[in-house]
Amino acid sequence: MLYKIMIKLCFCALLICMMSCVNTPKGPHSIRYEYGKLFNIAYTPEANTRCGGWFTDQGSWMGFTIPMQDKWINGFCGPFSLDHRHWMVRSAVVPGFSNINETFTPDSTNYFPGEIFVKSHSPSGNIEQHLQFIDTNTALLYIRTNINRELQLKGDTWANGTSFKLNQNTVIARHPSGEIVCIGFEPDARVSITNDNYLAVCSGENVYVTLSFFNNEKEKIAGLQKATSILNHPQNYIEANNKRWEGYLTSVLRNDMPEEYNRIAVKAVATLIANWQSQKGGLLHEGVVPSHAVGYFMGFWAWDSWKTAVAYARFAPEVAKNQIRAMFDYQLADGMVIDCIYSNTDENNARDSKPPLAAWAVDEIFTHTNDTAFVREMYPQLLAYHRWWYAKRDHNRNGICEFGSVDGTAEAAAWESGMDNAIRFDNAKMVKNADDAWSFDQESVDLNAYLAYEYKLLKKFAGLINQPFAEPDYTANVAEYFFDSTTGFFFDRHLPDGEFIKEEGCEAYIPFWTGIASKEQMNRALPLLTDTTKFATYIPFPTVAADNPKFTPKGYWRGPIWLDQTYFAIKGLRNYGHKELADKFTGQVFNRLHGLKEDAPIHENYGTHTGELLKAPHFGWSSAHLLLMYEEFGK
């Protein structure tokens, strides 16, 4: 009798343990489940609030949100078309118990890396739902109940004009845009459709459903076979998804870091993955958008692509390679790499380029993969791009370049710098180099520091692939040319008189990041870099010195913190032996940015004196540079 009692007690303990693990399902590979509540993406589509981001993965063009607690739908919201920016449906799959009309109450929700989760209950029982992306087109919904009763599933509020067709056990919903949502059910499900919805009745305590999104009919024909295969072996695909995310996270996480800093690294990886987009239309390779949460960012930008590829090299190098290829797909005959590209090529911007960091990205990919074939592939295009700067952006042919534009506008020239409204360009004028080439009438220190670094890397690549290298070397005097010995800082210089444009700004960080500055120049600049009234602000290293009369707390490139620039400054300090300072400033970034260690998304920029969230959420290059700061902390 005692033996039976002990068995029952052990069984009860096991059940309690299993129930307690519902929100963080542990397994043999469960690192990602240690990082719950990663982002708050609660949004019910008809609510009067702005959606601040979606759950998406695998380069998909669809996204989902978790329903709001006070506007509960008993299913994930979406899919949402990330390219066309509309909801295909309020919720494609809403489960309930069959033949019972009852309300479900939310119990818990969660956003793990690569998975979202909701749990709810009704008077009849509990329902758990897990959603993971299996591939670019298809997500797998796993529904679990605590009672053995049939479930009924249906959609909630499809977009106007959606038409329905049933193909065996797959519901095909066509949006007027031409986009298609397919909902696949297991063979034993009973599925029917009406003019404006479907109804599926499923047996068992564990139900699997595929949610597929296709841009057109051609994609649908190819993709539906995969969706059927997923339903035949769902656990295999769940395990593959878990293995993929395990790989991402183990590639970047350090055992010697505080757990709160590990969370920042995980958040950075998850942000970068959410911004991954597959090949589509004019985007001839997959790549990474600046932010999937903002409509005008749903293309690939050159500067963003180089920076995010550096981060991707650490955990998904094939995406990093394709991201670089995507931008060079549109390289012009003269070597120019254009500013940005979209799936609709009418939206591409070829008025300007962006700062030359592509060679840095290729070098980081080589460092993490040892892939000389990729270096060989990219080398001719990188070399043509390097030559373009000196051919089209060196007004007086002195080997020192300027930012400029194709159309002669100062607007596009400022865009080319990446610092659209920077104070240093307030008085800049345009000078003509050729019919398709104009420059600012000022030579920029950051541009020429980037070009000096690029020259060094191109020379390295030529040696790796046994190519001759006979490019003119304009790099030797760049640091001396832009350094003002009276101020002890780097500045742009005016054409043609060579006067320094004395606006203390983040462009001065770049000679230290690229390593072209002398130790003496670092020693001279250090008092400014560590001055709390200038650059050592609450969040360190703003885009312009905080005591500049034109400093504007929310002024885009006229004051706020951009984390790429903060990283360049911190890495510059590290390059010149100031490890303790670099770690101190990194700690200030990690500890003071609003929501970084909680569930707020990583933003485009931040308040210098407050750490407050400013422009676009879920921002890629901010995430990339946070990941680099994390990697280099303490080193």
Side-chain angles (χ1 to χ4, degrees):
M1 184 67 177
L2 181 60
Y3 174 78
K4 290 182 178 180
I5 290 172
M6 290 179 66
I7 291 291
K8 286 182 179 180
L9 286 172
C10 289
F11 181 72
C12 290
L14 178 60
L15 282 176
I16 291 169
C17 180
M18 290 173 66
M19 290 299 289
S20 69
C21 293
V22 161
N23 292 340
T24 55
K26 301 289 181 179
H29 306 288
S30 59
I31 290 177
R32 64 169 164 188
Y33 295 118
E34 297 172 12
Y35 299 98
K37 302 290 184 181
L38 205 58
F39 300 109
N40 178 5
I41 57 163
Y43 180 76
T44 304
E46 76 274 22
N48 293 321
T49 57
R50 180 183 177 188
C51 187
W54 285 263
F55 170 67
T56 185
D57 190 0
Q58 291 273 45
S60 182
W61 289 90
M62 70 171 167
F64 297 88
T65 59
I66 292 170
M68 299 162 68
Q69 295 270 331
D70 59 344
K71 296 183 182 293
W72 187 255
I73 305 173
N74 201 43
F76 298 109
C77 298
F80 177 85
S81 170
L82 293 170
D83 196 14
H84 290 163
R85 312 308 285 184
H86 56 234
W87 293 93
M88 305 293 287
V89 56
R90 190 170 180 237
S91 180
V93 181
V94 179
F97 295 113
S98 187
N99 297 320
I100 302 176
N101 184 15
E102 57 187 3
T103 300
F104 279 81
T105 301
D107 294 323
S108 61
T109 65
N110 218 320
Y111 187 129
F112 300 105
E115 179 182 312
I116 50 177
F117 167 88
V118 297
K119 182 183 177 185
S120 58
H121 73 273
S122 72
S124 300
N126 301 332
I127 293 181
E128 289 180 21
Q129 300 176 65
H130 303 255
L131 187 69
Q132 298 180 357
F133 277 79
I134 302 305
D135 62 20
T136 299
N137 297 107
T138 299
L140 179 63
L141 175 63
Y142 165 42
I143 304 170
R144 183 164 66 176
T145 70
N146 67 336
I147 62 171
N148 188 13
R149 187 183 186 120
E150 285 188 329
L151 287 174
Q152 66 175 27
L153 288 69
K154 58 185 178 181
D156 182 318
T157 317
W158 291 87
N160 290 337
T162 301
S163 62
F164 297 87
K165 181 179 177 181
L166 185 61
N167 180 2
Q168 296 181 340
N169 264 23
T170 299
V171 174
I172 301 170
R174 284 185 171 81
H175 189 274
S177 66
E179 297 163 310
I180 303 166
V181 173
C182 294
I183 308 169
F185 299 95
E186 295 172 278
D188 60 350
R190 306 190 302 277
V191 188
S192 60
I193 60 171
T194 63
N195 289 333
D196 61 359
N197 209 346
Y198 73 89
L199 178 68
V201 179
C202 306
S203 301
E205 298 172 21
N206 299 289
V207 173
Y208 297 93
V209 181
T210 55
L211 287 161
S212 301
F213 177 85
F214 304 108
N215 293 294
N216 50 54
E217 185 69 19
K218 182 179 179 181
E219 281 188 5
K220 178 184 77 71
I221 293 170
L224 280 184
Q225 273 191 323
K226 177 66 176 291
T228 300
S229 173
I230 292 167
L231 287 176
N232 288 335
H233 306 283
Q235 286 299 329
N236 292 349
Y237 288 96
I238 290 172
E239 178 57 29
N241 177 282
N242 204 56
K243 184 177 180 181
R244 175 170 62 89
W245 273 95
E246 187 82 1
Y248 293 158
L249 300 183
T250 55
S251 295
V252 301
L253 287 177
R254 295 169 52 179
N255 294 326
D256 60 340
M257 291 291 272
E259 193 55 34
E260 59 186 2
Y261 289 4
N262 288 341
R263 181 176 173 84
I264 293 170
V266 172
K267 182 179 279 193
V269 171
T271 302
L272 289 160
I273 291 293
N275 290 334
W276 169 19
Q277 301 297 154
S278 62
Q279 173 186 348
K280 179 186 177 183
L283 302 176
L284 306 181
H285 286 89
E286 64 187 341
V288 182
V289 300
S291 168
H292 75 273
V294 180
Y296 56 77
F297 276 145
M298 290 306 294
F300 302 158
W301 263 256
W303 209 21
D304 300 70
S305 293
W306 316 143
K307 294 171 183 177
T308 52
V310 167
Y312 260 89
R314 286 147 170 80
F315 59 88
E318 293 307 311
V319 177
K321 294 174 190 176
N322 286 329
Q323 183 175 355
I324 292 170
R325 291 175 177 126
M327 290 309 307
F328 277 98
D329 285 335
Y330 286 87
Q331 187 172 31
L332 303 183
D334 63 1
M336 177 183 177
V337 175
I338 67 175
D339 182 12
C340 57
I341 59 176
Y342 289 83
S343 61
N344 177 1
T345 56
D346 291 341
E347 299 180 49
N348 292 1
N349 178 37
R351 296 170 61 191
D352 54 89
S353 188
K354 274 294 189 286
L357 287 168
W360 175 43
V362 171
D363 187 54
E364 289 291 320
I365 290 169
F366 173 74
T367 297
H368 287 85
T369 65
N370 204 33
D371 187 352
T372 53
F374 181 67
V375 174
R376 185 180 299 278
E377 174 192 344
M378 297 309 305
Y379 178 75
Q381 292 175 280
L382 291 169
L383 188 60
Y385 187 34
H386 184 77
R387 289 170 174 171
W388 172 83
W389 285 99
Y390 293 98
K392 296 296 179 75
R393 294 291 188 271
D394 180 4
H395 180 70
N396 60 3
R397 321 307 299 171
N398 66 341
I400 301 291
C401 294
E402 311 88 29
F403 289 116
S405 63
V406 171
D407 61 4
T409 65
E411 176 185 56
W415 291 349
E416 185 163 278
S417 76
M419 303 180 187
D420 304 359
N421 66 338
I423 290 172
R424 60 174 161 150
F425 300 131
D426 281 358
N427 298 311
K429 303 291 189 295
M430 299 302 293
V431 292
K432 188 174 182 177
N433 306 329
D435 288 343
D436 64 346
W438 296 70
S439 287
F440 271 143
D441 63 345
Q442 70 187 64
E443 298 161 323
S444 287
V445 57
D446 50 340
L447 171 58
N448 288 279
Y450 290 138
L451 287 168
Y453 188 42
E454 185 174 66
Y455 178 89
K456 176 183 175 181
L457 292 175
L458 288 170
K459 191 173 183 179
K460 170 185 174 179
F461 296 160
L464 285 172
I465 61 176
N466 297 316
Q467 291 291 314
F469 188 78
E471 295 303 300
D473 185 356
Y474 303 114
T475 68
N477 297 318
V478 168
E480 182 180 349
Y481 182 79
F482 286 103
F483 191 75
D484 174 30
S485 58
T486 60
T487 311
F489 213 56
F490 289 103
F491 298 105
D492 286 5
R493 298 187 74 158
H494 186 259
L495 290 176
D497 56 29
E499 289 292 318
F500 287 113
I501 299 168
K502 292 191 176 182
E503 301 286 3
E504 296 167 350
C506 59
E507 57 274 9
Y509 308 155
I510 307 306
F512 302 118
W513 175 70
T514 58
I516 66 169
S518 68
K519 289 184 178 180
E520 174 59 25
Q521 287 168 340
M522 169 55 86
N523 291 338
R524 292 290 312 281
L526 200 59
L528 281 76
L529 295 174
T530 55
D531 186 338
T532 57
T533 69
K534 291 183 177 292
F535 294 106
T537 43
Y538 179 73
I539 308 297
F541 303 116
T543 45
V544 66
D547 63 351
N548 189 309
K550 296 181 181 179
F551 178 95
T552 308
K554 297 184 179 181
Y556 210 51
W557 285 93
R558 302 173 75 86
I561 293 292
W562 289 76
L563 289 174
D564 62 329
Q565 302 303 307
T566 293
Y567 167 75
F568 290 144
I570 290 173
K571 178 61 172 175
L573 289 169
R574 210 176 288 282
N575 286 343
Y576 289 80
H578 299 289
K579 170 187 170 297
E580 290 76 15
L581 271 176
D583 287 347
K584 171 190 169 183
F585 287 130
T586 299
Q588 290 175 356
V589 171
F590 286 176
N591 295 324
R592 294 176 176 178
L593 291 183
H594 284 196
L596 188 60
K597 293 184 287 186
E598 290 77 41
D599 64 0
I602 295 169
H603 275 61
E604 183 177 10
N605 43 35
Y606 291 85
T608 298
H609 297 306
T610 63
E612 67 183 301
L613 312 175
L614 295 180
K615 294 287 185 178
H618 301 279
F619 202 74
W621 92 32
S622 298
S623 303
H625 291 94
L626 284 170
L627 198 61
L628 296 179
M629 288 184 223
Y630 168 88
E631 180 183 273
E632 295 164 7
F633 184 80
K635 297 181 180 178

